[in-house]
Amino acid sequence: MTTRVIIVDDQAMVRAGFAALLAAQSDIDVVGEAPDGAQGVELSRRTHPDVVLMDVRMPEMDGLEAARRLLAPPPGGGGTSHALQAVGEHRPRVLMLTTFDVDDYVYEALRAGASGFLLKDAPPADLIAAVRIVASGDALLAPSVTRRLIADFAKQRPAARGKPALRLKGLTERETEVLTLVARGRSNGEIAQTLVLAEQTVKTHVSRVFTKLDLRDRAQAVVFAYESGLVTPGEGE
């Protein structure tokens, strides 16, 4: 299947470079570009891309606000993916582009449901791989960078832990174990080995965790695990 991508960045050279690189791939189709967040949101709603490459810092509307608008549930949708499907709402996967890996905007975008972030100076192969990973429905979790970022900001927000911690009570003991390992950057295969389970069983547990906690993907799961206090920075490294 072809992955439909739009690029939202205020630098024309960046948009042109990324577009040329991605369009050269047989499985990726660049269906549009926009110079700011507001136009990016409008373009996304018109073209229904699978993946949005979103710059963090832009004039008019920054990438964080644009990501929130694209990923927010519709009014009365209840916040779940099932509700979104029921009303036919399109929510693309959002991959944030940034110059700095430690960035409050990026953290907030991950909380809002972005599927990961990529440094603008990353090698071309990394950009292509990132689009494919996000399009496949997984989160782009570079453990050494993303988990450090989330851990750093979670330490600054201890007051936010009360409500997330209550939501943990809805998980079974096994689901809690799985979420803990997801938050530590383990793949499904590694979780299966650790818990001595079939990988398909792990996939089922991960899916149930996401549904119960209303999480979009692994990026949001890592944020949730740290903010709820289930995992603490430096633990289990």
Side-chain angles (χ1 to χ4, degrees):
M1 292 180 62
T2 299
T3 297
R4 294 165 55 83
V5 176
I6 66 171
I7 302 166
V8 185
D9 194 294
D10 62 330
Q11 295 180 293
M13 290 290 286
V14 171
R15 295 198 307 272
F18 283 3
L21 178 65
L22 294 173
Q25 311 306 310
S26 60
D27 59 335
I28 298 175
D29 185 13
V30 178
V31 297
E33 303 173 24
D36 61 59
Q39 292 185 55
V41 170
E42 192 278 330
L43 177 64
S44 178
R45 288 174 175 167
R46 190 173 71 245
T47 60
H48 291 182
D50 301 300
V51 177
V52 177
L53 289 178
M54 181 79 75
D55 187 21
V56 169
R57 300 180 185 278
M58 293 179 289
E60 303 300 328
M61 181 190 292
D62 63 30
L64 173 58
E65 179 59 27
R68 283 175 174 156
R69 294 194 185 193
L70 288 177
L71 298 171
T80 68
S81 57
H82 300 294
L84 287 162
Q85 292 170 2
V87 297
E89 180 78 5
H90 174 75
R91 285 203 302 179
R93 299 277 170 174
V94 175
L95 182 59
M96 305 302 295
L97 300 170
T98 182
T99 308
F100 309 102
D101 60 358
V102 180
D103 192 317
D104 190 67
Y105 279 74
V106 175
Y107 176 79
E108 293 300 335
L110 291 173
R111 294 187 75 205
S115 294
F117 73 96
L118 191 70
L119 297 180
K120 283 189 177 183
D121 60 358
D126 287 2
L127 172 64
I128 296 167
V131 169
R132 288 172 176 157
I133 289 170
V134 170
S136 73
D138 207 349
L140 183 68
L141 278 180
S144 63
V145 178
T146 305
R147 287 172 56 235
R148 186 189 75 230
L149 173 77
I150 293 171
D152 286 348
F153 284 108
K155 281 191 293 187
Q156 299 171 23
R157 292 165 168 75
R161 294 190 173 192
K163 191 173 181 180
L166 288 176
R167 291 164 62 193
L168 282 173
K169 294 182 179 180
L171 300 182
T172 66
E173 183 176 349
R174 178 64 84 192
E175 288 166 352
T176 302
E177 288 179 318
V178 169
L179 175 58
T180 300
L181 292 172
V182 167
R184 290 176 181 164
R186 305 292 193 272
S187 67
N188 286 348
E190 291 168 337
I191 295 173
Q193 287 186 327
T194 300
L195 300 181
V196 195
L197 297 171
E199 189 167 344
Q200 185 57 49
T201 300
V202 172
K203 289 181 181 178
T204 299
H205 283 309
V206 170
S207 178
R208 286 176 179 166
V209 168
F210 289 178
T211 298
K212 285 184 177 182
L213 299 178
D214 193 22
L215 302 174
R216 188 165 168 80
D217 54 31
R218 285 174 122 83
Q220 278 197 316
V222 176
V223 171
F224 179 89
Y226 276 106
E227 293 199 335
S228 67
L230 177 65
V231 175
T232 57
E235 178 186 53
E237 297 295 330

